[in-house]
Each structure stands twice: as C-alpha cells, then as structure tokens.
C-alpha cells in the first residue's frame, strides 16, 4: 500500500531527460522521436545534452529524475553509460529517491540493465503495451510478448526491485478477454507498478490518419469502460493501489515523478522538445533534433516556446491535473500556494459535479468518485473551461 | 453626340466559362480602349468573388471606338451580362439595352444549358444574334460539330458562326466587322422626350450610386432634373459620361448611346434595374419602358452571428453589402436556438452564396446560416393570400385553405448517355418531364417542371456527380401551384429547435426528416446522458435517432510532461463550447444548423 509519505508533495524540482531515438515510430505515438541509427547522431545528441544540462541544472537535489523518450534503452552500452555520466556530473543520482528509466523490450538487455543500475537508476518502466502479437503488430511495436518478459527478467537480473510495466487497452478490435489476459500476464511477472492507458488517437499520428480515412477507429465505449472497470477491480484484488486514474502501485509505490507533474510541481526538461515548468511558466524546448542540438552546442538557449499562465488559469490547471489523483486535490492548498480566492469561480461547477455524483468535496479535498472516474477528462477539462476568457 | 448610324450596342452571352470575359478583353485591346500592358486579367469582372468563381455577377458596360474597314469610326458599346440564372432579369434588361448579341459557345464543349436560355432571352429582346465559337486554340475544338449544335438548338445557320480564340486573338477582328455589318444601328430621336433604360447601378465610395443606362430617346446632360418612373424619385444629374473603361465625363448622352449618370444618390435602395429615367419636367416627361419588375427574392435563409453580441455588427455589415446589391433583402428575426439574427432574401441560390461570402470576406463576419427555404403562398380560409418563407411564420393549420409552392422550369443539357440518370433524379424530386431536344446526335436538352424547393438542396451537385460533371442546368420560376406542404419540426431531447424546422412536401417529409436526424447525430457530441433526436409533423413522430451517452472519457496519460499542449487543446475545445447553442441541457454546435443543408453523405 502506498502511503502519503511516498507521494511527492509538489515542492522541489524534478529533472526530465529526453532521449529522442526509436527503432520505429509507433502508430499511436505523438512524442518527439526520431528513427536514427547512426552512432554519430547519438554522439552529437549526447554532446548537446551535456551542454544543455550544464546550462540548466545547478547541482540541487531533484525530487526525481526520469529518463524518457523516445527509447533511452536504444543507446548502445557505452553511450548509455555516457548518458548517466553526463547527468551524474550535475546530479547525485545515488542520493535521489527516484530515478526512472524507460526501456523497450527490443533493446533492453541484461548488460544495459546493469549499466543503468550502476549509473544510478532505481526504477525501470518497460514499454510493453500488450502481449498479443496481432495487437503489437497493429501498434507497430518492434518486439514480441516473449521479448517483453525477457526485458522484465533482465531488469530483475540486474537487481531492480522497482519495475513497472506500461500497458495499453482499447486497441481497435481488442476484446475484454484479451485485455484481461494482458493484465494477468503482467501480474504473473510480479510487476511492482502498472500504468494502464486507454489508447487515444492523437493528431499527427499514423493511427489518426488511418482513422480519418476510415481504416480504423476506436472501440465501442462500453468495451473501453468494461476494461477500465476490470482493471481497477482486478488490480485492487491483487493488492495494487490505484493512486491515479491510470496508475497502480504495488511494492514499488507510486511513480513520484509523474505524481510531481499532477501536483503542478516544478521540473526542468532537457533534450529536444522537452518541457519544463517553473512557478506557472511553462517552457518547451526546440523540437527538431538537429536544431535543438545546434542551439545547445552553440551555448544558446534551447527554448522554443514559453507561456506564462494567468493566476486563474494556473489554478484551473492545478485542479485539472490534481483531480486524477485518488487522494484528490486540495483546493485550500492551491488557494494558499497561489494566493487566490477560488471558491467564487469554481464552486458553481463543483456543486454541479457533486450533484451529478462525479466528485466528492469534503474538507477542501476534491476527488473523483463513481462515474466521475470514467469521465475524468471531462470533469477535469471543465475546470479549465472556467478559466477560459476569465 | 455620335450619329446613331455610327453606334452599335451589343452584349456577349455565354455559358459560364465559355470565355466571355476573355473575348471582351480582346475586343478592348483590338480597339485600343485598353493598352495590353495595362490590362488586368479579365477587366470586366470587378468583384473579387466574381473573378474567383469565373462568373460575372453584376453587369458592366464599356464604350470603344473602332475604325472599321469602311473607314468610318464607330462607337461600340459592350454591355456585359451576368452569367447566372439567378440574375436572368438583369440579363434581360442588359439585352434590352442592345440591338445585338454575340452568342459565345466553347468549341470544345458545345451548347450548354445557359447557352440556350441566354439565346432565348436575346430572342425575347429581339436582338440580332451572331454565333461565335471560342477556344479554337484547344486541340479538341470541334467547330463544325458545335456550329451544328447551335443550328439545332437556336436556329442560327451554322455557316454564319465565326470561329475564334479569344485567348490567342485568332480571328477576333472578324467579330468586330460582323458587329458593324450584322447588328442594326440604334433608332431613336435625340430630340424626343427622354427615355433611358437603367440596366445596372453600382455603388462607388466616392461618387455614390453610378447608374448605367442606355438612352432610347432624347438626351440627358449635366444639370438635368431627372425622375425615375418606377420609384418616382427625383434627382439632379451631376455628371454624365462614358465608360472607356474608366469614367470619362461627356457633355451629354443622346439617343442610341450607352453611358453612366451620377446624380448624388447615396444608396441603391430606391434604384431598381430596369427602371426608366426621364425628365422631371412634365412637359418633357417620357413614358415608362415596358417590362419593369421590382426585384423579388425567391430564396430565403437566416443569417445569425456566431457570437450573439455581434448582432449589431451583422446588421451594419448587411446594410453595407446591400448598398451595392439592392436585390437582396433582410429583416430581423429571432430564433429560440440561435438568438437574434436576420431573415434574408435572395434572387437565387448563387446569389445567397455570394452574399454569404461577401459578408465573410469583405465584412469579416462569422455567421451561422440556416437552411434555405423558398417563398410559399398560402391561401387562408378567409380568402386572404399570404406569403411565407420561414416555418415559424406558418399560420395555424385550421386557417389554411391551400398551400401554393413555386414551380420551376428546369432545363438540363447532358450528353445523351446520361438521359436515364437525369430522368431519375428529376422524378425523385417530384419533377414532371416536359421535353427532349437533341442538339446533334449526342447532346440533349431535357426540360422538366420541378418544384423550386426540390432544387435548392444539392440538386446541382447531384446532377454534376451523376453526369460526371457534364450536366449543366438552368432554371426559371414559372409560377405557383397547389401543394401538400407540411412543417417538419425537429426536437432535441424533447425540445423543439425552431432553427432546424423546415417546410416540405408531405411525400418527402419522412425521408428528409430521417436524413437530417442522421446528420445531426454526427454533429452533436455525446453528452453525459442519452440525447433523443426526433422529427415530427404536428404531434406525430416520423423519425427518431439517439446519441448514446458519453460512457467513458479517461485518457489520462502524462503527456511526457507536455502539459501545455494538452491544456491548450482542452482550452480550445472549451472556447468552442462557448460557441455552442444550448437547447435545454443539450449543447448543439453551430455546424449542426448547417447539417440540414446537406442531406447527402
């Protein structure tokens, strides 16, 4: 069971490191990634990353560090080692409570697992998505079910006691039985944490294009709903804590890094297209790999866009992000943190949501209940609506 | 003043895209009216929309001086005509200002629906018609073949046709000589009582209204007190002149001449095409020329501002657009669903589209347009006849004796292989077959009587797609006939949405009701509850659809920390929601109100 001490409290700063390489671009993925195999490009990326990190991280102790992508595990063993040296020269990774790395089955080996462990990583998240061959093919995944199990075993072999599995449900044509068997297989592996995301059709992806052309489309909502409900029920029975609408923690506890995002915490993102947040200013790095590297290597800022949230917008964002946490979001704490009075603006909406039995609101804690969990995006999105044009 | 025997007044009539404006440009160039390098591509199409759509909406005129082979200098007045059926009345008035017309036919495409209709209008105006075959530069031009079609369709001898290429200039000088030779000089006495036919009027920001006219009898000059006989309005002439093509002031315009008059008129509201201008002095006053009609809208629809607070701006924009298009009308109306807006009347469908685009482009207005409706007549039990063009104006059923709906005569020209397809769509739309005329072996014109309301919804699109683009059509409202009309109400979650209700023939009501509900089902997003869509006549439901409740909406990924992007997306959706209209607790996107316009797909 997770307890509050294990959850972040939103203070401090986290570090996100974006490794933008993949062996293939998956049909559903809208993240900033590139299929580039030349070692020289990888080296140039690492050089630029070293430059950017030196500019942006000033030795403080991070709340958490997250190596994401892309596919960090795609880097060759020496380059992977160099990645940890670069970050390790600015951050004492051994002293940081949570250092996560994303790994994909097609490239994660025992050797790389050992390098990660030695480099200071203490949590591995394996991008598995599904154990069904035809669904893996549909998603353009570059691995098979056995590969995913082997990757999990590799993490364990290197001594990781906090290994998470990413799964995806609602793949077009997927049945409830298939999803149930995916969950069982992940449980059999003895995973410490599960992220279970509903597949979405994101703009600019191959899947979205196919959908526009009528080649594919989302499943019936009733199936998605049954999968979502089954997930919560089954993982509850298995002793997992549903600490967030899509995330479930067993022995390893919640992912503090993601939780820090939901708490509207500050973080620094390094790498092409990486995002950062500092007290209501949200910044996005230059996206194209080469342009980002050019800027970083020239000693220039890598920022491409920035926005400063208006106070009400910041409050609405805090509610939108926080409502997905099972503990809910503390409205009074947001008021105090932002020095704002929120009740007048948000209470009519909250009262309506209470009446519709979507949320519970007691002692300033606002949280999803009942149908609200199944309609979390709508409930949360409505808070943003309050601050639009305010 | 030019001696009438040295004046020729003519028009060019053609189907859309057969090269009318290009030929006009070439004639301007050959007569030296406009230098080649100063020519803007296609000079006569003034408005941006006209040039874009390749059609001339408002008539224009231009005067040229041509030194003919006989050594004489002639004044040639070209009066351009609008190229669309919505403006047939304007076409007729422009033709009545001429003695002759060039009937321009694309030598590669052949006779089309508008070719025939325009030729008939020219006959009606008793004009000398010269057939001209254009686009001879195209490799697939078939002049002999098309000349035969012209002979079959319009009874003009094939050997009289002049084959030209307006694009390259080939044989265009022959056209000028033919105009001198074949078109009669105007008659009329310059010393007689003034009778001038106004064939067009435009609004100019600096000069006010500029009237284009043809002097039939008498003379008009600066300082004259004039009277418009149709509207009984008096004005003082500030300037007269010719269009060459810029406005060039002249001392006077005399019988036979074509030109413009500026008379300090601030708005086009009381300026009607077809009206007769004469002297205000009773002793000098001439008679009204025959055939004047006040413009009467045939198609109506609602325009609503997307943002309710823009109502006043929409009114200002409509007023501005109306300044140079008096044939379009508007009056305020309210809708429960759309709030305050305007009921607007148009000469036809193209006219409606043109106005809508002008509002969007020239005035930068965002508008919601409701489904178009024709003008119905209703005979009440009291014997009174009323006109109705909006379902909400319909009186109670027990006061209605009879419904009358406008009937059109539709002419469709197609290659003969498509006769079956055309028969099918016309009979599906309650059309009755009238006639078949063959032009050559493979081209045929089919005539039908079809209720107007049946052709205002995607008829033209359907014709185009069923005939692989070859079918062309033209229509004319012929009169009103008794009809079995019903008002179909559309209900969303049990509440009537007035802006979606429509009038239709009883036989079509179920099918149209069903199609509209299907379309609405696609446009209205899921709600947290089931949304029922119903179509009803009176209290009887004729169709039903439902939008099932939103049952799941959790994606909840962490977006790799890219919170801005996701939030902005949601904020944009929320802004879009503010533009939705609430009916009860159902949010209807504005797009849905247009869904009634698209019964297909």
């Amino acid at each position: 069971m997770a307890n509050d001490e294990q959850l972040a409290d939103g203070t401090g700063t986290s570090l996100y490191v974006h490794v933008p390489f993949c062996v293939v671009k998956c049909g559903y993925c809208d993240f900033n990634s590139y299929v580039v195999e030349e070692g020289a490009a990888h080296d140039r990326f690492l050089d630029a990353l070293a430059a950017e990190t030196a500019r942006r991280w000033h030795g403080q102790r991070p709340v958490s560090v997250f190596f994401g992508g892309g596919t960090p595990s795609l880097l060759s063993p020496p380059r992977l080692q160099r990645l940890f040296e670069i970050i390790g020269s600015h951050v004492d990774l051994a002293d940081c409570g949570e250092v996560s790395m994303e790994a994909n089955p097609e490239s994660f080996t025992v050797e790389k697992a050992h390098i990660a462990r030695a480099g200071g990583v203490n949590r591995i998240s394996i991008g598995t998505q599904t154990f069904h061959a035809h669904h893996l093919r549909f998603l353009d995944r570059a691995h098979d079910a056995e590969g995913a199990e082997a990757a999990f075993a590799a993490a364990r072999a290197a001594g990781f006691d906090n290994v998470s599995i990413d799964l995806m449900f609602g793949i077009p044509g997927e049945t409830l039985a298939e999803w149930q068997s995916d969950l069982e297989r992940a449980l059999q592996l003895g995973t410490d944490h599960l992220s279970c995301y509903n597949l979405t059709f994101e703009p600019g992806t191959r899947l979205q294009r196919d959908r526009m052309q009528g080649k594919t489309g989302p499943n019936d909502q009733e199936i998605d709903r049954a999968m979502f409900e089954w997930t919560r029920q089954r993982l509850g029975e298995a002793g997992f804590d549903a600490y967030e609408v899509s995330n479930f923690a067993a022995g390893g506890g919640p992912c503090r890094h993601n939780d820090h995002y939901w708490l509207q915490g500050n973080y620094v993102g390094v790498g092409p297209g990486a995002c950062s947040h500092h007290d209501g200013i949200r910044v996005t790095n230059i996206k194209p790999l080469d342009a980002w590297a050019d800027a970083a290597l020239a000693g220039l800022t890598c920022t491409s866009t920035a926005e400063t949230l208006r106070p009400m917008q910041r409050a609405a964002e805090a509610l939108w992000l926080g409502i997905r946490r099972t503990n809910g979001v503390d409205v009074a704490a947001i008021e105090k943190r932002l020095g704002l009075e929120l009740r007048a603006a948000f209470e009519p909406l909250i009262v309506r949501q209470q009446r519709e039995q979507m949320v519970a609101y007691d002692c300033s804690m606002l949280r999803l209940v009942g149908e609200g969990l199944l309609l979390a995006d709508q409930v949360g999105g409505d808070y943003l609506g309050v601050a639009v044009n305010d | 003043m030019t001696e009438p025997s040295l004046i020729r007044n003519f028009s060019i009539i053609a189907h859309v895209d057969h090269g009318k404006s290009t030929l006009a440009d070439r004639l301007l160039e050959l007569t030296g009216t406009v230098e080649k390098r100063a020519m803007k591509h296609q000079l006569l199409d003034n408005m941006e929309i006209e040039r874009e759509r390749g059609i001339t909406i408002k008539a224009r005129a231009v005067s040229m001086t041509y030194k003919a082979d006989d050594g004489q200098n002639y004044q040639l007045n070209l009066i351009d005509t609008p190229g669309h059926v919505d403006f047939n009345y304007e076409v007729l008035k422009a033709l009545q200002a001429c003695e002759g017309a060039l009937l321009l036919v694309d030598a590669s495409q052949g006779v089309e629906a508008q070719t025939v209709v325009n030729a008939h209008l020219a006959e009606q105006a008793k004009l000398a018609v010269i057939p001209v075959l254009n686009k001879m530069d195209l490799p697939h031009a078939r002049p002999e073949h098309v000349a035969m079609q012209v002979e079959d369709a319009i009874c003009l001898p094939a050997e009289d046709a002049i084959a030209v290429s307006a694009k390259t200039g080939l044989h265009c000088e022959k056209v000028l000589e033919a105009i001198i030779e074949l078109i009669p000089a105007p008659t009329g006495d310059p010393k007689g009582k003034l009778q001038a036919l106004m064939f067009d009027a435009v609004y100019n920001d600096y000069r006010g209204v500029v009237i284009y006219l043809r002097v039939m009898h008498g003379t008009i000059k600066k300082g004259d007190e004039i009277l418009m006989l149709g509207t009984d309005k008096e004005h003082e002439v500030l300037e007269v002149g010719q269009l060459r093509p810029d406005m060039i002031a002249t001392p006077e315009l005399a019988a036979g001449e074509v030109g413009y008059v500026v008379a300090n008129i601030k708005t086009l509201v009381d300026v009607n095409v077809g009206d007769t201008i004469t002297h205000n002095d009773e002793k000098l006053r001439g008679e009204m020329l025959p055939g004047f009609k006040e413009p009467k809208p045939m198609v109506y629809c609602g325009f609503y501002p997307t943002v309710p607070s823009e109502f006043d701006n929409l009114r200002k924009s409509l007023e501005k657009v109306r300044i140079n298009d008096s044939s379009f009308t508007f009056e305020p109306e309210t809708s429960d669903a759309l709030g305050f807006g305007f009921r607007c009347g148009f000469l036809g469908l193209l006219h409606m589209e043109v106005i809508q685009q002008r509002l969007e482009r020239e005035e930068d207005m965002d508008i919601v347009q409701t489904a178009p409706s024709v003008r119905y007549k209703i005979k009440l039990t009291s014997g009174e006849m009323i006109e109705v063009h909006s379902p909400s104006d319909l009186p109670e059923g027990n006061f209605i004796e009879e419904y009358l709906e406008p009937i059109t005569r539709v002419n469709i020209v197609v290659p003969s292989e498509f006769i079956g397809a055309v028969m099918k769509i016309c009979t599906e739309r309650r059309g009755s077959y009238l006639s078949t005329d063959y032009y050559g072996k493979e081209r045929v014109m089919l005539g039908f009587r079809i209720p107007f309301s049946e052709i205002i919804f995607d008829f033209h699109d359907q014709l185009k797609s069923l005939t692989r683009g070859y079918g062309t059509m033209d229509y004319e409202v012929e009169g009103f006939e008794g009809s079995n009309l019903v008002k179909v109400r559309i209900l969303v979650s049990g509440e009537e949405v007035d802006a979606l209700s429509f009038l239709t023939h009883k036989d079509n009501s179920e099918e149209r009701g069903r199609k509209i509900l299907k379309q609405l089902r696609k446009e209205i997003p899921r709600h947290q509850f089931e949304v029922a869509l119903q179509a009803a006549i009176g209290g009887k439901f004729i169709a039903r659809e439902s939008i099932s409740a939103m049952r799941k909406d959790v994606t909840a990924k962490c977006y790799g920390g890219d919170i801005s992007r996701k939030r902005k997306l949601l904020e944009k959706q929320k802004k879009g929601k503010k533009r939705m209209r609430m009916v009860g607790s159902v949010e209807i996107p504005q797009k849905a109100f247009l869904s009634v316009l698209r019964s297909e797909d």
Side-chain angles (χ1 to χ4, degrees):
Chain A
M1 288 291 128
N3 57 49
D4 282 354
E5 282 79 19
Q6 284 174 294
L7 287 168
D9 65 358
T11 59
T13 301
S14 287
L15 175 64
Y16 175 77
V17 182
H18 190 72
V19 182
F21 303 110
C22 282
V23 286
V24 297
K25 181 83 185 166
C26 295
Y28 58 87
C29 176
D30 66 338
F31 283 12
N32 191 34
S33 63
Y34 303 86
V35 179
V36 179
E37 282 168 39
E38 299 86 58
H42 294 190
D43 286 336
R44 189 164 191 267
F45 159 73
L46 291 169
D47 292 345
L49 188 73
E52 193 193 5
T53 311
R55 275 175 66 91
R56 303 205 37 205
W57 194 268
H58 306 294
Q60 69 269 44
R61 182 171 180 265
V63 173
S64 58
V65 178
F66 198 100
F67 293 91
T71 315
S73 63
L74 181 77
L75 294 175
S76 65
R79 292 194 182 93
L80 194 61
Q81 192 156 356
R82 193 176 159 218
L83 174 71
F84 299 124
E85 283 163 14
I86 289 166
I87 303 303
S89 68
H90 301 282
V91 180
D92 183 1
L93 293 174
D95 183 40
C96 179
E98 180 184 286
V99 181
S100 301
M101 182 181 110
E102 288 186 324
N104 268 359
E106 71 275 4
S107 56
F108 194 55
T109 59
V110 177
E111 185 191 5
K112 289 182 188 176
H114 275 291
I115 292 169
R117 183 103 187 108
V121 176
N122 57 23
R123 184 175 178 275
I124 295 287
S125 170
I126 297 173
T128 306
Q129 317 313 348
T130 168
F131 291 101
H132 289 87
H134 58 294
H135 294 319
L136 285 166
R137 254 195 321 276
F138 177 83
L139 297 174
D140 305 320
R141 299 294 293 177
H143 58 87
D144 55 18
E146 291 68 33
E149 288 174 340
F152 191 91
R156 283 282 191 252
F160 284 101
D161 59 1
N162 192 353
V163 183
S164 174
I165 288 178
D166 269 8
L167 289 179
M168 194 176 268
F169 65 92
I171 302 164
E174 188 184 21
T175 63
L176 177 60
E178 285 173 336
W179 171 242
Q180 287 170 332
S181 84
D182 275 349
L183 273 181
E184 292 310 318
R185 212 155 158 180
L187 288 173
Q188 274 160 25
L189 286 173
T191 183
D192 306 296
H193 180 279
L194 265 165
S195 296
C196 301
Y197 296 126
N198 198 155
L199 174 84
T200 52
F201 293 79
E202 299 295 337
T205 61
R206 194 260 303 158
L207 233 56
Q208 176 66 3
R209 281 194 298 279
D210 286 355
R211 181 190 188 179
M212 290 301 175
Q213 291 167 14
K215 292 185 197 160
T216 186
N219 290 338
D220 189 280
Q221 290 199 345
E222 296 302 328
I223 295 177
D224 282 356
R225 195 181 155 95
M227 289 175 175
F228 182 84
E229 286 178 328
W230 172 258
T231 308
R232 296 182 83 79
Q233 186 195 325
R234 178 69 188 92
L235 294 181
E237 286 164 14
F240 280 72
D241 175 28
Y243 68 98
E244 194 257 359
V245 287
S246 306
N247 284 288
F248 303 86
C255 172
R256 259 186 251 181
H257 189 83
N258 282 347
D259 207 41
H260 189 70
Y261 287 160
W262 308 142
L263 288 161
Q264 209 177 36
N266 289 342
Y267 53 93
V268 171
V270 289
C275 300
S276 307
H277 172 239
H278 184 85
D279 294 348
I281 301 171
R282 292 200 177 272
V283 175
T284 305
N285 270 359
I286 299 167
K287 277 212 164 120
L289 175 58
D290 287 336
W292 164 81
D294 290 343
L297 291 169
L300 301 170
T301 171
C302 299
T303 301
S304 134
T305 58
E307 59 164 351
T308 304
L309 302 176
R310 288 170 285 112
M312 277 305 277
Q313 202 180 11
R314 212 174 148 193
E317 189 196 79
L319 293 173
W320 164 59
L321 293 172
I323 193 77
R324 57 216 291 151
R325 301 171 78 245
T326 300
N327 286 351
V329 53
D330 186 341
V331 179
I334 296 173
E335 284 185 316
K336 196 170 157 218
R337 175 160 63 89
L338 302 180
L340 270 179
E341 207 283 312
L342 298 181
R343 274 152 224 270
F346 289 96
E347 226 149 50
L349 172 61
I350 292 171
V351 166
R352 198 196 83 200
Q353 291 175 336
Q354 273 180 298
R355 199 177 56 234
E356 290 168 351
Q357 298 179 337
M358 299 279 174
V359 300
Y361 186 39
D362 32 44
C363 303
S364 97
M365 285 304 282
L366 182 66
R367 62 190 171 85
L368 295 168
V369 291
E371 285 288 302
L373 277 163
L374 284 143
L375 298 169
D377 284 13
Q378 246 177 48
V379 174
D382 283 347
Y383 301 126
L384 294 179
V386 171
V388 167
N389 301 332
D390 76 315
Chain B
M1 191 191 110
T2 309
E3 185 60 37
S5 66
L6 294 178
I7 298 175
R8 297 292 183 274
N9 297 317
F10 71 104
S11 270
I12 308 175
I13 52 181
H15 190 78
V16 171
D17 268 349
H18 280 200
K20 189 171 68 168
S21 300
T22 314
L23 179 62
D25 286 353
R26 207 56 61 228
L27 300 182
L28 291 178
E29 206 181 285
L30 281 171
T31 54
T33 312
V34 178
E35 276 180 55
K36 195 166 186 174
R37 62 184 166 77
M39 296 245 339
K40 244 198 251 170
H41 183 57
Q42 300 199 338
L43 208 83
L44 285 177
D45 291 345
N46 265 7
M47 278 194 273
E48 188 191 342
I49 296 168
E50 294 183 10
R51 198 165 293 160
E52 205 169 277
R53 301 179 63 118
I55 51 168
T56 306
I57 295 162
K58 296 292 285 180
R60 297 287 186 278
V62 62
S63 301
M64 303 171 256
T65 304
Y66 173 61
K67 189 171 180 172
D69 291 353
D70 64 10
Q72 301 258 43
N73 275 323
Y74 287 86
Q75 183 192 120
L76 304 187
N77 296 308
L78 165 58
I79 297 172
D80 199 23
T81 56
H84 192 273
V85 58
D86 287 357
F87 308 99
N88 265 1
Y89 174 71
E90 280 79 353
V91 175
L92 186 58
K93 287 298 137 189
L95 293 178
Q96 282 172 352
C98 304
E99 279 74 31
L102 305 174
L103 177 70
L104 189 66
V105 186
D106 184 323
S108 65
Q109 285 187 14
V111 169
E112 299 287 4
Q114 280 171 1
T115 316
V116 181
V117 170
N118 283 325
H120 288 324
L121 288 172
E123 260 171 33
Q124 217 179 311
K126 301 191 177 65
L127 302 192
V129 177
I130 305 170
V132 178
L133 307 180
N134 191 21
K135 306 200 184 178
M136 288 300 291
D137 55 299
L138 294 181
H140 46 282
R142 305 163 298 160
E144 298 80 14
H145 195 85
V146 172
M148 283 311 295
Q149 286 182 3
V150 172
E151 186 168 325
D152 285 349
I154 306 145
C155 303
L156 294 169
E159 64 270 20
D160 288 359
I162 308 169
V164 307
S165 165
K167 192 173 157 196
T168 64
L170 174 78
H171 294 158
C172 287
E173 68 294 341
K174 286 193 187 169
V175 174
L176 288 168
E177 282 300 316
I179 290 169
I180 305 294
E181 209 175 303
L182 301 172
I183 295 177
T187 53
D189 178 7
K191 297 188 178 62
K193 286 183 177 174
L194 177 64
Q195 268 185 317
L197 172 67
M198 168 162 48
F199 59 83
D200 197 11
V202 296
Y203 183 83
N204 177 305
D205 281 343
Y206 305 102
R207 323 289 300 267
V209 172
V210 179
I211 290 168
Y212 294 158
L213 48 71
R214 153 74 194 274
V215 183
M216 309 306 279
H217 289 286
T219 302
I220 186 169
K221 58 182 187 304
K222 183 177 171 178
D224 284 352
E225 293 286 330
I226 54 165
L227 177 71
M228 294 190 198
L229 286 170
T231 52
D232 214 27
K233 298 277 173 194
E234 298 160 23
H235 299 282
E236 190 198 333
V237 175
L238 300 181
E239 183 180 316
V240 301
Q242 288 182 333
L243 297 138
R244 287 184 168 266
D246 297 323
M247 290 163 69
I248 306 288
T250 56
E252 58 178 27
L253 288 173
E257 289 188 302
V258 171
Y260 70 90
V261 166
V262 176
N264 199 22
I265 307 172
K266 299 286 186 230
T267 151
L268 279 168
V269 170
D270 286 316
V271 178
N272 289 326
V273 168
D275 205 346
T276 304
I277 292 169
T278 188
H279 285 121
N280 194 25
D281 186 336
E282 274 188 53
K283 282 172 288 183
L284 302 173
R285 202 175 285 178
E287 299 279 300
M288 182 89 173
L289 292 159
F292 171 67
K293 284 194 288 188
E294 279 204 43
K296 185 115 198 180
M298 290 309 302
V299 176
Y300 290 81
C301 77
F303 282 167
Y304 288 83
T306 336
V307 185
S309 58
E310 287 288 290
F311 175 77
D312 281 326
N313 285 335
L314 178 57
R315 179 203 298 279
K316 280 179 204 146
S317 299
L318 288 167
E319 278 164 359
K320 245 171 113 185
V321 168
R322 189 170 147 77
I323 285 176
N324 53 25
D325 188 347
S326 59
S327 52
F328 133 76
T329 64
F330 64 93
E331 55 188 50
E333 73 168 358
T334 50
S335 148
D336 296 339
L338 295 173
F340 292 99
F342 296 91
R343 191 82 189 157
C344 304
F346 311 92
L347 297 174
L349 290 172
L350 177 82
H351 191 210
M352 176 172 81
E353 215 175 302
V354 165
I355 298 284
Q356 187 217 326
Q357 288 183 8
R358 285 187 62 197
L359 285 170
E360 283 173 357
R361 274 189 224 171
E362 294 169 19
E363 302 296 320
D364 207 17
M365 288 303 304
D366 257 344
I367 50 179
V368 182
Q369 184 201 331
T370 62
S373 168
V374 300
R375 182 161 51 87
Y376 295 101
K377 288 184 178 175
I378 293 173
K379 198 172 162 190
L380 300 178
T381 45
S382 64
E384 197 193 336
M385 193 73 104
I386 59 164
E387 289 193 346
V388 165
H389 49 71
S390 165
S392 58
D393 295 343
L394 208 61
E396 288 293 319
N398 48 343
F399 293 115
I400 296 170
E401 168 101 23
E402 192 188 13
Y403 292 100
L404 299 162
E405 66 174 332
I407 306 290
T408 51
R409 155 107 202 193
V410 180
N411 290 317
I412 295 170
V413 174
V414 282
S416 46
E417 57 184 298
F418 297 113
I419 291 178
V422 171
M423 288 284 183
K424 183 169 169 286
I425 59 166
C426 290
T427 46
E428 273 172 7
R429 292 175 184 249
R430 297 191 283 133
S432 52
Y433 164 77
L434 292 176
S435 61
T436 307
D437 291 292
Y438 275 89
Y439 307 145
K441 281 198 191 88
E442 74 275 13
R443 248 178 134 60
V444 62
M445 182 165 92
L446 299 165
F448 292 87
R449 273 170 74 78
I450 306 180
F452 193 19
S453 62
E454 295 287 338
I455 60 173
I456 64 173
F457 290 101
D458 68 14
F459 179 75
H460 191 239
D461 292 343
Q462 208 189 349
L463 175 71
K464 283 277 172 202
S465 72
L466 279 176
T467 59
R468 277 187 265 124
Y470 286 113
T472 57
M473 66 170 278
D474 211 323
Y475 68 87
E476 193 178 9
V477 176
E478 282 198 324
F480 285 77
E481 268 182 14
S483 172
N484 193 359
L485 285 186
V486 289
K487 175 182 170 182
V488 178
R489 301 183 301 135
I490 301 290
L491 295 88
V492 173
S493 273
E495 288 201 41
E496 181 169 348
V497 185
D498 55 0
L500 290 171
S501 300
F502 58 94
L503 294 170
T504 188
H505 192 269
K506 189 165 190 302
D507 294 351
N508 297 351
S509 56
E510 264 185 51
E511 200 192 337
R512 272 196 62 201
R514 254 198 314 275
K515 280 180 173 172
I516 285 168
L517 295 191
K518 283 219 165 70
Q519 200 65 41
L520 284 176
R521 195 169 168 246
K522 284 190 214 159
E523 302 284 356
I524 299 176
R526 284 179 191 241
H527 285 64
Q528 282 167 24
F529 45 88
E530 183 178 293
V531 177
L533 306 171
Q534 292 162 304
I537 299 173
K540 185 182 162 235
F541 294 109
I542 55 167
R544 190 184 198 285
E545 288 277 340
S546 70
I547 300 166
S548 51
M550 170 67 89
R551 298 275 289 151
K552 181 176 179 302
D553 188 12
V554 201
T555 56
K557 274 190 273 193
C558 64
Y559 332 123
D562 192 352
I563 283 158
S564 289
R565 184 160 59 129
K566 186 73 184 172
R567 194 196 60 248
K568 282 177 187 164
L569 201 77
L570 289 167
E571 284 173 347
K572 207 171 134 196
Q573 284 172 11
K574 292 289 164 193
K575 274 189 192 146
K577 257 193 169 173
K578 293 208 164 161
R579 287 193 166 184
M580 291 203 194
R581 302 295 177 151
M582 292 294 290
V583 171
S585 48
V586 180
E587 288 165 327
I588 304 182
Q590 293 185 329
K591 239 173 70 191
F593 291 96
L594 282 169
S595 63
V596 276
L597 300 175
R598 293 182 305 264
S599 50
E600 293 306 301
D601 71 59

